[in-house]
Amino acid sequence: MASRLRSGKAYEHTILGILTLEHFDVYQPVVDDQGIDGLIRVRGKDGKSARYYELQVKGSKTWSGIRCKVQRLTKEGVLILYCADKRELLWFRYEELAQLFPAANPAWGDIFLKEDAVSRYKGQGRDKLDLLLKQL
């Protein structure tokens, strides 16, 4: 269990670092009791107002090792999946998760990625963070 928690926290820090380098404003909660790994702040078009999105990070050494229960994720958030061996990510808006990943196995989670699905999502630009920023 400690190893899994350690890896999970490492994936969170990796994604927060990548987002920061890609010019996102990201914040990490001091206490992790709400299941929120971070917050993404997006400046409003007027330059003054801002919107905030919950960030959930799930990672594994392989794409097929990632598990996530999407029904627990609320609206106005972003899920980032991270494959450590390939150092690749895929992003999804919370609002689209139920359609993309229908409930499959409540005990284990709804996300089970195979290479063909990863390729399809990459083809949609879900590995490009600039496209995520445009959608927020």
Side-chain angles (χ1 to χ4, degrees), residues 59-111:
S60 182
K61 288 185 177 187
T62 63
W63 286 117
S64 62
I66 296 173
R67 296 290 176 267
C68 181
K69 297 178 182 179
V70 300
Q71 70 272 15
R72 293 183 179 179
L73 302 177
T74 63
K75 293 183 179 180
E76 295 298 316
V78 175
L79 169 66
I80 294 185
L81 306 178
Y82 180 68
C83 177
D85 281 353
K86 295 187 176 189
R87 300 200 188 293
E88 295 176 339
L89 63 83
L90 296 171
W91 59 264
F92 301 92
R93 302 273 312 268
Y94 282 3
E95 301 88 66
E96 60 193 357
L97 290 174
Q99 181 180 3
L100 293 172
F101 303 102
N105 185 339
W108 288 94
D110 306 309
I111 294 181

Short mmCIF file of all heavy atoms in Angstrom, two decimals, residues 59-111:
data_model
loop_
_atom_site.label_atom_id
_atom_site.label_comp_id
_atom_site.label_asym_id
_atom_site.label_seq_id
_atom_site.Cartn_x
_atom_site.Cartn_y
_atom_site.Cartn_z
N GLY A 59 -2.41 7.61 -12.38
CA GLY A 59 -1.27 7.17 -13.16
C GLY A 59 -0.89 5.74 -12.85
O GLY A 59 -1.34 5.14 -11.88
N SER A 60 -0.05 5.21 -13.71
CA SER A 60 0.49 3.87 -13.55
C SER A 60 1.71 3.76 -14.45
O SER A 60 1.96 4.64 -15.28
CB SER A 60 -0.57 2.83 -13.95
OG SER A 60 -0.06 1.53 -13.76
N LYS A 61 2.45 2.69 -14.29
CA LYS A 61 3.60 2.47 -15.18
C LYS A 61 3.13 2.23 -16.61
O LYS A 61 3.82 2.59 -17.55
CB LYS A 61 4.43 1.29 -14.69
CG LYS A 61 5.21 1.58 -13.44
CD LYS A 61 6.11 0.42 -13.09
CE LYS A 61 6.95 0.79 -11.88
NZ LYS A 61 7.95 -0.24 -11.58
N THR A 62 1.96 1.60 -16.76
CA THR A 62 1.43 1.30 -18.09
C THR A 62 0.02 1.89 -18.22
O THR A 62 -0.67 2.10 -17.22
CB THR A 62 1.34 -0.22 -18.33
OG1 THR A 62 0.43 -0.77 -17.38
CG2 THR A 62 2.71 -0.87 -18.18
N TRP A 63 -0.42 2.12 -19.44
CA TRP A 63 -1.78 2.60 -19.66
C TRP A 63 -2.80 1.61 -19.10
O TRP A 63 -3.79 2.01 -18.50
CB TRP A 63 -2.04 2.83 -21.15
CG TRP A 63 -1.39 4.04 -21.72
CD1 TRP A 63 -0.44 4.08 -22.70
CD2 TRP A 63 -1.63 5.40 -21.36
NE1 TRP A 63 -0.07 5.39 -22.96
CE2 TRP A 63 -0.79 6.22 -22.15
CE3 TRP A 63 -2.48 6.02 -20.44
CZ2 TRP A 63 -0.79 7.60 -22.05
CZ3 TRP A 63 -2.46 7.41 -20.35
CH2 TRP A 63 -1.63 8.18 -21.14
N SER A 64 -2.56 0.34 -19.29
CA SER A 64 -3.54 -0.67 -18.86
C SER A 64 -3.62 -0.79 -17.33
O SER A 64 -4.56 -1.39 -16.82
CB SER A 64 -3.22 -2.02 -19.48
OG SER A 64 -1.95 -2.48 -19.05
N GLY A 65 -2.68 -0.22 -16.62
CA GLY A 65 -2.69 -0.29 -15.17
C GLY A 65 -3.46 0.82 -14.48
O GLY A 65 -3.66 0.80 -13.28
N ILE A 66 -3.94 1.80 -15.24
CA ILE A 66 -4.65 2.93 -14.65
C ILE A 66 -6.09 2.54 -14.34
O ILE A 66 -6.77 1.95 -15.17
CB ILE A 66 -4.62 4.14 -15.62
CG1 ILE A 66 -3.19 4.62 -15.80
CG2 ILE A 66 -5.51 5.27 -15.08
CD1 ILE A 66 -3.02 5.69 -16.85
N ARG A 67 -6.54 2.88 -13.14
CA ARG A 67 -7.92 2.64 -12.72
C ARG A 67 -8.49 3.92 -12.12
O ARG A 67 -7.80 4.64 -11.41
CB ARG A 67 -7.99 1.53 -11.65
CG ARG A 67 -7.54 0.19 -12.14
CD ARG A 67 -8.52 -0.40 -13.15
NE ARG A 67 -8.04 -1.66 -13.70
CZ ARG A 67 -7.32 -1.77 -14.82
NH1 ARG A 67 -7.00 -0.70 -15.52
NH2 ARG A 67 -6.93 -2.95 -15.24
N CYS A 68 -9.75 4.16 -12.44
CA CYS A 68 -10.42 5.35 -11.91
C CYS A 68 -11.92 5.11 -11.90
O CYS A 68 -12.46 4.58 -12.86
CB CYS A 68 -10.08 6.57 -12.76
SG CYS A 68 -10.84 8.09 -12.17
N LYS A 69 -12.56 5.52 -10.82
CA LYS A 69 -14.02 5.44 -10.73
C LYS A 69 -14.58 6.81 -11.12
O LYS A 69 -14.56 7.74 -10.33
CB LYS A 69 -14.43 5.06 -9.31
CG LYS A 69 -13.94 3.68 -8.92
CD LYS A 69 -14.31 3.34 -7.50
CE LYS A 69 -13.76 1.96 -7.16
NZ LYS A 69 -14.04 1.58 -5.79
N VAL A 70 -15.08 6.90 -12.35
CA VAL A 70 -15.48 8.21 -12.88
C VAL A 70 -16.74 8.77 -12.25
O VAL A 70 -16.92 9.98 -12.22
CB VAL A 70 -15.61 8.18 -14.42
CG1 VAL A 70 -14.30 7.80 -15.06
CG2 VAL A 70 -16.72 7.26 -14.87
N GLN A 71 -17.61 7.92 -11.71
CA GLN A 71 -18.86 8.44 -11.13
C GLN A 71 -18.59 9.30 -9.89
O GLN A 71 -19.45 10.06 -9.48
CB GLN A 71 -19.85 7.30 -10.82
CG GLN A 71 -19.46 6.39 -9.68
CD GLN A 71 -18.61 5.22 -10.11
OE1 GLN A 71 -18.06 5.20 -11.20
NE2 GLN A 71 -18.47 4.24 -9.23
N ARG A 72 -17.42 9.21 -9.33
CA ARG A 72 -17.07 10.02 -8.14
C ARG A 72 -16.63 11.43 -8.51
O ARG A 72 -16.52 12.29 -7.65
CB ARG A 72 -15.95 9.35 -7.36
CG ARG A 72 -16.36 8.06 -6.72
CD ARG A 72 -15.23 7.50 -5.92
NE ARG A 72 -15.64 6.27 -5.28
CZ ARG A 72 -14.86 5.54 -4.52
NH1 ARG A 72 -13.62 5.92 -4.30
NH2 ARG A 72 -15.29 4.43 -3.98
N LEU A 73 -16.33 11.66 -9.78
CA LEU A 73 -15.81 12.96 -10.19
C LEU A 73 -16.97 13.90 -10.51
O LEU A 73 -17.91 13.53 -11.20
CB LEU A 73 -14.88 12.79 -11.40
CG LEU A 73 -13.71 11.84 -11.13
CD1 LEU A 73 -12.87 11.67 -12.38
CD2 LEU A 73 -12.85 12.33 -9.98
N THR A 74 -16.87 15.13 -10.03
CA THR A 74 -17.94 16.11 -10.17
C THR A 74 -17.77 16.92 -11.45
O THR A 74 -16.79 16.77 -12.17
CB THR A 74 -17.94 17.05 -8.96
OG1 THR A 74 -16.69 17.76 -8.95
CG2 THR A 74 -18.12 16.30 -7.67
N LYS A 75 -18.72 17.78 -11.69
CA LYS A 75 -18.62 18.68 -12.85
C LYS A 75 -17.56 19.73 -12.60
O LYS A 75 -17.15 19.97 -11.46
CB LYS A 75 -19.96 19.35 -13.11
CG LYS A 75 -21.01 18.36 -13.58
CD LYS A 75 -22.30 19.07 -13.89
CE LYS A 75 -23.32 18.05 -14.37
NZ LYS A 75 -24.59 18.66 -14.68
N GLU A 76 -17.13 20.37 -13.68
CA GLU A 76 -16.12 21.43 -13.61
C GLU A 76 -14.78 20.92 -13.11
O GLU A 76 -14.20 21.48 -12.19
CB GLU A 76 -16.60 22.60 -12.73
CG GLU A 76 -17.80 23.31 -13.30
CD GLU A 76 -17.55 23.95 -14.65
OE1 GLU A 76 -16.49 24.58 -14.84
OE2 GLU A 76 -18.41 23.81 -15.53
N GLY A 77 -14.32 19.88 -13.71
CA GLY A 77 -13.03 19.36 -13.34
C GLY A 77 -12.32 18.72 -14.51
O GLY A 77 -12.88 18.57 -15.60
N VAL A 78 -11.07 18.34 -14.27
CA VAL A 78 -10.22 17.74 -15.28
C VAL A 78 -9.58 16.48 -14.69
O VAL A 78 -9.06 16.52 -13.57
CB VAL A 78 -9.12 18.72 -15.74
CG1 VAL A 78 -8.16 18.06 -16.71
CG2 VAL A 78 -9.73 19.97 -16.35
N LEU A 79 -9.65 15.41 -15.45
CA LEU A 79 -8.96 14.17 -15.10
C LEU A 79 -7.77 14.03 -16.04
O LEU A 79 -7.93 14.13 -17.26
CB LEU A 79 -9.89 12.97 -15.27
CG LEU A 79 -9.23 11.58 -15.18
CD1 LEU A 79 -8.68 11.33 -13.78
CD2 LEU A 79 -10.22 10.50 -15.58
N ILE A 80 -6.59 13.83 -15.48
CA ILE A 80 -5.41 13.57 -16.29
C ILE A 80 -4.90 12.18 -15.96
O ILE A 80 -4.66 11.86 -14.80
CB ILE A 80 -4.31 14.63 -16.08
CG1 ILE A 80 -4.80 15.99 -16.59
CG2 ILE A 80 -3.01 14.20 -16.79
CD1 ILE A 80 -3.78 17.10 -16.54
N LEU A 81 -4.78 11.36 -17.00
CA LEU A 81 -4.23 10.02 -16.87
C LEU A 81 -2.78 10.08 -17.31
O LEU A 81 -2.45 10.70 -18.32
CB LEU A 81 -5.01 9.04 -17.76
CG LEU A 81 -6.52 9.02 -17.54
CD1 LEU A 81 -7.18 8.04 -18.51
CD2 LEU A 81 -6.86 8.67 -16.10
N TYR A 82 -1.89 9.42 -16.54
CA TYR A 82 -0.45 9.50 -16.80
C TYR A 82 0.16 8.11 -16.88
O TYR A 82 -0.01 7.30 -15.97
CB TYR A 82 0.23 10.31 -15.69
CG TYR A 82 1.71 10.46 -15.86
CD1 TYR A 82 2.24 11.22 -16.90
CD2 TYR A 82 2.59 9.83 -15.00
CE1 TYR A 82 3.61 11.35 -17.06
CE2 TYR A 82 3.96 9.96 -15.16
CZ TYR A 82 4.46 10.72 -16.19
OH TYR A 82 5.82 10.85 -16.35
N CYS A 83 0.86 7.85 -17.97
CA CYS A 83 1.60 6.60 -18.17
C CYS A 83 3.07 6.89 -17.90
O CYS A 83 3.74 7.56 -18.69
CB CYS A 83 1.39 6.07 -19.58
SG CYS A 83 2.35 4.58 -19.92
N ALA A 84 3.59 6.38 -16.78
CA ALA A 84 4.95 6.71 -16.36
C ALA A 84 6.01 6.12 -17.29
O ALA A 84 7.01 6.79 -17.58
CB ALA A 84 5.17 6.22 -14.93
N ASP A 85 5.82 4.90 -17.75
CA ASP A 85 6.84 4.30 -18.61
C ASP A 85 7.03 5.08 -19.91
O ASP A 85 8.15 5.21 -20.40
CB ASP A 85 6.48 2.84 -18.95
CG ASP A 85 6.82 1.89 -17.81
OD1 ASP A 85 7.45 2.33 -16.82
OD2 ASP A 85 6.44 0.71 -17.90
N LYS A 86 5.94 5.61 -20.45
CA LYS A 86 6.02 6.37 -21.71
C LYS A 86 6.11 7.87 -21.50
O LYS A 86 6.30 8.61 -22.44
CB LYS A 86 4.81 6.04 -22.59
CG LYS A 86 4.80 4.59 -23.03
CD LYS A 86 3.71 4.33 -24.03
CE LYS A 86 3.82 2.89 -24.51
NZ LYS A 86 2.93 2.60 -25.63
N ARG A 87 5.92 8.29 -20.24
CA ARG A 87 5.91 9.71 -19.91
C ARG A 87 4.91 10.46 -20.80
O ARG A 87 5.22 11.50 -21.37
CB ARG A 87 7.29 10.33 -19.98
CG ARG A 87 8.27 9.66 -19.04
CD ARG A 87 9.46 10.55 -18.75
NE ARG A 87 10.52 9.92 -18.01
CZ ARG A 87 10.47 9.52 -16.76
NH1 ARG A 87 9.38 9.64 -16.09
NH2 ARG A 87 11.52 8.98 -16.17
N GLU A 88 3.71 9.90 -20.87
CA GLU A 88 2.63 10.47 -21.67
C GLU A 88 1.41 10.71 -20.79
O GLU A 88 1.23 10.06 -19.78
CB GLU A 88 2.24 9.53 -22.81
CG GLU A 88 3.33 9.31 -23.83
CD GLU A 88 2.94 8.30 -24.90
OE1 GLU A 88 2.02 7.48 -24.67
OE2 GLU A 88 3.58 8.31 -25.96
N LEU A 89 0.57 11.65 -21.24
CA LEU A 89 -0.65 11.94 -20.51
C LEU A 89 -1.82 12.06 -21.47
O LEU A 89 -1.63 12.31 -22.67
CB LEU A 89 -0.52 13.20 -19.66
CG LEU A 89 -0.26 14.54 -20.37
CD1 LEU A 89 -1.55 15.16 -20.88
CD2 LEU A 89 0.43 15.49 -19.42
N LEU A 90 -3.01 11.89 -20.93
CA LEU A 90 -4.26 12.13 -21.63
C LEU A 90 -5.15 12.92 -20.68
O LEU A 90 -5.17 12.65 -19.48
CB LEU A 90 -4.97 10.82 -21.99
CG LEU A 90 -4.26 9.89 -22.97
CD1 LEU A 90 -4.99 8.55 -23.04
CD2 LEU A 90 -4.19 10.53 -24.36
N TRP A 91 -5.89 13.89 -21.20
CA TRP A 91 -6.77 14.69 -20.36
C TRP A 91 -8.23 14.50 -20.79
O TRP A 91 -8.52 14.22 -21.95
CB TRP A 91 -6.39 16.16 -20.40
CG TRP A 91 -6.43 16.77 -21.77
CD1 TRP A 91 -5.37 16.93 -22.62
CD2 TRP A 91 -7.58 17.27 -22.47
NE1 TRP A 91 -5.79 17.49 -23.80
CE2 TRP A 91 -7.14 17.72 -23.73
CE3 TRP A 91 -8.92 17.38 -22.15
CZ2 TRP A 91 -8.00 18.28 -24.67
CZ3 TRP A 91 -9.80 17.93 -23.10
CH2 TRP A 91 -9.33 18.38 -24.32
N PHE A 92 -9.12 14.67 -19.80
CA PHE A 92 -10.55 14.55 -20.03
C PHE A 92 -11.27 15.53 -19.11
O PHE A 92 -10.88 15.70 -17.96
CB PHE A 92 -11.05 13.13 -19.72
CG PHE A 92 -10.37 12.07 -20.53
CD1 PHE A 92 -9.24 11.45 -20.06
CD2 PHE A 92 -10.85 11.72 -21.78
CE1 PHE A 92 -8.59 10.48 -20.81
CE2 PHE A 92 -10.22 10.75 -22.54
CZ PHE A 92 -9.08 10.13 -22.06
N ARG A 93 -12.33 16.16 -19.61
CA ARG A 93 -13.19 17.00 -18.78
C ARG A 93 -14.14 16.08 -18.02
O ARG A 93 -14.61 15.09 -18.56
CB ARG A 93 -13.99 17.98 -19.65
CG ARG A 93 -13.16 18.90 -20.52
CD ARG A 93 -12.73 20.16 -19.83
NE ARG A 93 -13.76 20.86 -19.12
CZ ARG A 93 -14.51 21.83 -19.64
NH1 ARG A 93 -14.33 22.22 -20.89
NH2 ARG A 93 -15.43 22.43 -18.91
N TYR A 94 -14.44 16.41 -16.78
CA TYR A 94 -15.33 15.58 -15.97
C TYR A 94 -16.67 15.34 -16.67
O TYR A 94 -17.22 14.24 -16.60
CB TYR A 94 -15.61 16.24 -14.62
CG TYR A 94 -14.52 16.13 -13.59
CD1 TYR A 94 -13.30 15.53 -13.84
CD2 TYR A 94 -14.73 16.64 -12.31
CE1 TYR A 94 -12.33 15.45 -12.87
CE2 TYR A 94 -13.76 16.56 -11.34
CZ TYR A 94 -12.55 15.97 -11.62
OH TYR A 94 -11.59 15.89 -10.65
N GLU A 95 -17.20 16.36 -17.34
CA GLU A 95 -18.53 16.26 -17.94
C GLU A 95 -18.63 15.17 -19.00
O GLU A 95 -19.72 14.70 -19.30
CB GLU A 95 -18.94 17.60 -18.59
CG GLU A 95 -18.98 18.78 -17.65
CD GLU A 95 -17.64 19.47 -17.52
OE1 GLU A 95 -17.15 20.06 -18.51
OE2 GLU A 95 -17.07 19.42 -16.41
N GLU A 96 -17.53 14.79 -19.60
CA GLU A 96 -17.57 13.81 -20.69
C GLU A 96 -17.20 12.40 -20.25
O GLU A 96 -17.28 11.46 -21.03
CB GLU A 96 -16.65 14.26 -21.82
CG GLU A 96 -15.20 14.42 -21.41
CD GLU A 96 -14.36 15.16 -22.43
OE1 GLU A 96 -14.87 15.53 -23.51
OE2 GLU A 96 -13.18 15.37 -22.13
N LEU A 97 -16.82 12.23 -19.01
CA LEU A 97 -16.31 10.93 -18.55
C LEU A 97 -17.33 9.81 -18.61
O LEU A 97 -17.02 8.70 -19.04
CB LEU A 97 -15.75 11.05 -17.13
CG LEU A 97 -14.46 11.84 -16.99
CD1 LEU A 97 -14.10 12.01 -15.52
CD2 LEU A 97 -13.33 11.16 -17.75
N ALA A 98 -18.56 10.07 -18.18
CA ALA A 98 -19.58 9.01 -18.16
C ALA A 98 -19.86 8.47 -19.55
O ALA A 98 -20.09 7.27 -19.73
CB ALA A 98 -20.86 9.52 -17.51
N GLN A 99 -19.80 9.34 -20.54
CA GLN A 99 -20.04 8.90 -21.92
C GLN A 99 -18.83 8.14 -22.48
O GLN A 99 -18.98 7.12 -23.14
CB GLN A 99 -20.36 10.09 -22.81
CG GLN A 99 -20.65 9.69 -24.25
CD GLN A 99 -20.95 10.89 -25.12
OE1 GLN A 99 -20.91 12.03 -24.69
NE2 GLN A 99 -21.27 10.62 -26.37
N LEU A 100 -17.64 8.63 -22.21
CA LEU A 100 -16.43 7.99 -22.74
C LEU A 100 -16.09 6.69 -22.02
O LEU A 100 -15.53 5.77 -22.61
CB LEU A 100 -15.24 8.96 -22.63
CG LEU A 100 -15.31 10.18 -23.52
CD1 LEU A 100 -14.17 11.14 -23.17
CD2 LEU A 100 -15.26 9.80 -24.99
N PHE A 101 -16.40 6.64 -20.72
CA PHE A 101 -16.07 5.47 -19.91
C PHE A 101 -17.31 5.02 -19.14
O PHE A 101 -17.44 5.28 -17.94
CB PHE A 101 -14.93 5.80 -18.93
CG PHE A 101 -13.69 6.30 -19.59
CD1 PHE A 101 -13.38 7.66 -19.59
CD2 PHE A 101 -12.83 5.43 -20.23
CE1 PHE A 101 -12.24 8.14 -20.19
CE2 PHE A 101 -11.67 5.89 -20.84
CZ PHE A 101 -11.37 7.25 -20.82
N PRO A 102 -18.23 4.33 -19.81
CA PRO A 102 -19.45 3.87 -19.11
C PRO A 102 -19.09 2.94 -17.95
O PRO A 102 -18.07 2.26 -17.99
CB PRO A 102 -20.22 3.11 -20.18
CG PRO A 102 -19.51 3.32 -21.47
CD PRO A 102 -18.17 3.91 -21.18
N ALA A 103 -19.95 2.95 -16.95
CA ALA A 103 -19.72 2.11 -15.77
C ALA A 103 -19.46 0.67 -16.18
O ALA A 103 -20.27 0.06 -16.86
CB ALA A 103 -20.90 2.20 -14.82
N ALA A 104 -18.31 0.16 -15.79
CA ALA A 104 -17.92 -1.19 -16.20
C ALA A 104 -17.78 -2.12 -15.00
O ALA A 104 -18.28 -3.23 -15.01
CB ALA A 104 -16.60 -1.14 -16.96
N ASN A 105 -17.10 -1.65 -13.99
CA ASN A 105 -16.83 -2.50 -12.83
C ASN A 105 -16.71 -1.60 -11.60
O ASN A 105 -15.63 -1.10 -11.31
CB ASN A 105 -15.54 -3.28 -13.06
CG ASN A 105 -15.27 -4.28 -11.96
OD1 ASN A 105 -15.79 -4.16 -10.86
ND2 ASN A 105 -14.45 -5.26 -12.25
N PRO A 106 -17.82 -1.39 -10.90
CA PRO A 106 -17.79 -0.45 -9.77
C PRO A 106 -16.72 -0.76 -8.72
O PRO A 106 -16.24 0.14 -8.06
CB PRO A 106 -19.19 -0.59 -9.16
CG PRO A 106 -20.03 -1.21 -10.23
CD PRO A 106 -19.11 -2.01 -11.09
N ALA A 107 -16.34 -2.00 -8.58
CA ALA A 107 -15.33 -2.34 -7.57
C ALA A 107 -13.93 -1.88 -8.00
O ALA A 107 -13.13 -1.46 -7.17
CB ALA A 107 -15.33 -3.85 -7.32
N TRP A 108 -13.63 -1.95 -9.28
CA TRP A 108 -12.28 -1.63 -9.77
C TRP A 108 -12.19 -0.28 -10.46
O TRP A 108 -11.13 0.30 -10.56
CB TRP A 108 -11.80 -2.72 -10.74
CG TRP A 108 -11.47 -3.97 -10.03
CD1 TRP A 108 -12.29 -5.05 -9.83
CD2 TRP A 108 -10.24 -4.30 -9.40
NE1 TRP A 108 -11.65 -6.02 -9.12
CE2 TRP A 108 -10.38 -5.58 -8.84
CE3 TRP A 108 -9.03 -3.63 -9.25
CZ2 TRP A 108 -9.36 -6.20 -8.15
CZ3 TRP A 108 -8.01 -4.25 -8.56
CH2 TRP A 108 -8.18 -5.52 -8.01
N GLY A 109 -13.28 0.19 -11.00
CA GLY A 109 -13.26 1.46 -11.71
C GLY A 109 -13.80 1.30 -13.11
O GLY A 109 -14.11 0.20 -13.57
N ASP A 110 -13.92 2.42 -13.80
CA ASP A 110 -14.53 2.45 -15.12
C ASP A 110 -13.52 2.64 -16.24
O ASP A 110 -13.87 2.52 -17.40
CB ASP A 110 -15.56 3.58 -15.16
CG ASP A 110 -16.55 3.47 -14.03
OD1 ASP A 110 -17.12 2.38 -13.86
OD2 ASP A 110 -16.74 4.46 -13.31
N ILE A 111 -12.31 2.98 -15.90
CA ILE A 111 -11.31 3.23 -16.93
C ILE A 111 -10.39 2.03 -17.05
O ILE A 111 -9.71 1.65 -16.10
CB ILE A 111 -10.50 4.51 -16.62
CG1 ILE A 111 -11.44 5.71 -16.70
CG2 ILE A 111 -9.32 4.66 -17.56
CD1 ILE A 111 -10.80 7.04 -16.44
#
